């Protein structure tokens, strides 16, 4: 009898171990599925913050010592990005919106960050930037925008310029076409690119106003963004379909406009017949002076 029991117990132990491993694996798979559902297009390392109308993503990025948060403004469907060095607490803010200035400043305060630069990827036509007002409320904050935008700012950016924060930095790539002053901001290790309105997820910025030029936009994307590594995450200034991020490899392969020839692309862009942005007449003049009439 003892010999029979001794032979059964190893089988029971093996079965129990198998069940525990299966449960663990299924739990991990479920968690991964939930992360993909609430934060599509980004890696499983991202932990989403659920919101009633749109999910936001926040995570300690794959780059060591980098804090990253993606925030959303619903009226203009604008993404604002907060990046910080986890050791020095130095931070930068990309494309902040006037209507969400209190939310952004509260988050910066809660995290104990020292916001060094608030940068706009271009002179926006669909919302007013909060950089000017934010400077009045945060001592030492500098505003930044492309020198080709024609807008006022403390820092005028050019091709190859670096925006440092702690041990990290963003490199400026000039990507005109949507406007003359559009830039893409690339993290130092090329793991992230903040593309503004130049490259959207499965789309791109319009080219029918503000010095827009379809041919220049096509060339900017192919020469300055699609030359980044395939795994580089693409974070646009807007999305209207609930998507949060893409990759360079995905957009190079699947973007329905940018997989066309330049001639086909120009024809597509010239025939979009989009309505005029609702706030363009107030947004552009305000954004030319950093969102306020006194910078």
């Amino acid at each position: 009898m003892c010999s029979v029991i001794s032979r059964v117990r190893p089988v029971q132990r093996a079965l129990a171990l198998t069940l525990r491993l299966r449960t663990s694996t299924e739990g991990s798979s479920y968690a991964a599925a939930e992360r993909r559902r609430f934060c599509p297009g980004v890696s499983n390392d991202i932990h989403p913050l659920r919101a009633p109308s749109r999910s936001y993503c926040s995570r300690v990025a794959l780059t060591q010592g980098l804090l990253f948060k993606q925030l959303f403004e619903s009226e203009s469907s604008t993404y604002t990005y907060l990046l910080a060095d986890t050791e020095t607490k130095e931070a930068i803010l990309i494309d902040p919106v006037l209507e969400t200035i209190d939310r952004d400043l509260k988050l910066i305060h809660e995290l104990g960050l020292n916001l060094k630069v608030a940068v706009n990827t271009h002179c926006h036509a669909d919302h007013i930037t909060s950089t000017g007002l934010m400077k009045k409320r945060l001592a030492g904050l500098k505003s930044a925008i492309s020198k080709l935008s024609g807008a006022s700012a403390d820092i005028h950016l050019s091709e190859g310029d670096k925006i440092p924060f702690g041990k990290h930095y963003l490199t400026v790539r000039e990507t005109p076409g949507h406007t003359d002053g559009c830039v893409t901001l690339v993290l130092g290790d090329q793991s992230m690119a903040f593309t503004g309105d130049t490259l959207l997820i499965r789309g791109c910025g319009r080219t029918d106003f503000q010095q827009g030029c379809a041919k220049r936009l096509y060339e900017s994307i192919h020469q300055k963004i699609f030359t980044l590594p395939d795994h580089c995450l693409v974070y646009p200034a807007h999305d209207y379909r609930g998507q949060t991020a893409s990759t360079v490899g995905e957009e190079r392969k699947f973007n329905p406009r940018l997989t066309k020839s330049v001639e086909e692309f120009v024809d597509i862009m010239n025939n979009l017949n989009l309505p005029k942005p609702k706030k363009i007449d107030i947004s552009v003049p305000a954004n030319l002076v950093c969102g306020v009439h006194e910078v």
Side-chain angles (χ1 to χ4, degrees):
M1 177 64 71
C2 291
S3 61
V4 172
I5 293 174
S6 64
R7 287 196 300 271
V8 171
R9 282 176 178 166
V11 175
Q12 291 173 328
R13 286 195 296 270
L15 179 59
L17 177 60
T18 301
L19 290 173
R20 285 198 300 272
L21 288 173
R22 182 179 177 184
T23 302
S24 175
T25 302
E26 288 174 348
S28 299
S29 299
Y30 175 77
E34 287 293 282
R35 288 195 292 269
R36 287 192 297 270
R37 184 163 72 92
F38 284 97
C39 193
V42 279
S43 74
N44 290 338
D45 293 317
I46 299 173
H47 304 289
L49 300 175
R50 300 181 189 181
S53 59
R54 175 72 67 89
S55 55
Y56 306 146
C57 299
S58 67
R59 67 176 175 122
V60 175
L62 296 177
T63 301
Q64 186 175 7
L66 178 69
L67 174 73
F68 168 65
K69 289 188 177 288
Q70 181 184 46
L71 306 163
F72 185 72
E73 192 279 314
S74 59
E75 184 180 354
S76 61
S77 296
T78 299
Y79 284 124
T80 296
Y81 299 98
L82 177 65
L83 295 90
D85 186 303
T86 56
E87 293 181 9
T88 68
K89 301 297 184 180
E90 290 186 352
I92 62 171
L93 194 64
I94 301 172
D95 288 334
V97 180
L98 185 61
E99 284 78 3
T100 52
I101 184 172
D102 291 331
R103 175 203 68 186
D104 297 344
L105 290 176
K106 179 182 178 184
L107 179 61
I108 289 164
H109 176 73
E110 287 173 344
L111 298 176
L113 302 178
N114 176 18
L115 188 63
K116 305 294 289 183
V117 179
V119 56
N120 284 293
T121 53
H122 63 293
C123 184
H124 298 275
D126 54 4
H127 69 268
I128 298 174
T129 180
S130 66
T131 51
L133 184 58
M134 197 171 283
K135 285 171 54 181
K136 295 177 180 292
R137 295 172 60 176
L138 280 182
L141 176 63
K142 302 292 184 183
S143 59
I145 198 168
S146 167
K147 71 175 184 179
L148 299 174
S149 68
S152 301
D154 299 307
I155 304 168
H156 282 118
L157 302 169
S158 299
E159 178 76 21
D161 284 351
K162 290 181 172 54
I163 307 173
F165 56 106
K167 65 182 178 182
H168 307 288
Y169 63 88
L170 294 174
T171 300
V172 175
R173 294 192 176 197
E174 293 176 347
T175 50
H178 173 61
T179 73
D180 280 349
C182 286
V183 297
T184 291
L185 304 171
V186 181
L187 194 64
D189 63 0
Q190 297 192 347
S191 64
M192 297 179 178
F194 301 91
T195 57
D197 284 17
T198 298
L199 177 63
L200 306 179
I201 300 171
R202 305 299 192 268
C204 62
R206 61 195 294 177
T207 57
D208 58 339
F209 63 84
Q210 279 188 289
Q211 318 96 36
C213 175
K215 187 173 184 292
R216 290 186 76 193
L217 180 62
Y218 186 93
E219 292 171 347
S220 291
I221 294 171
H222 279 268
Q223 295 172 12
K224 298 292 185 68
I225 300 176
F226 282 178
T227 52
L228 290 166
D230 281 356
H231 65 266
C232 178
L233 291 166
V234 170
Y235 289 105
H238 302 282
D239 189 82
Y240 309 97
R241 293 174 292 178
Q243 302 166 111
T244 56
S246 183
T247 66
V248 168
E250 280 187 27
E251 294 308 311
R252 192 190 297 115
K253 185 175 182 180
F254 300 119
N255 193 296
R257 296 178 185 174
L258 294 157
T259 49
K260 302 288 194 291
S261 69
V262 63
E263 293 80 13
E264 291 172 313
F265 177 80
V266 170
D267 184 63
I268 291 170
M269 299 305 293
N270 288 344
N271 290 282
L272 292 178
N273 299 316
L274 297 171
K276 180 180 176 182
K278 290 186 292 185
K279 286 189 173 182
I280 188 171
D281 292 331
I282 59 172
S283 295
V284 172
N287 289 332
L288 287 172
V289 289
C290 213
V292 293
H293 293 292
E294 295 180 6
V295 179

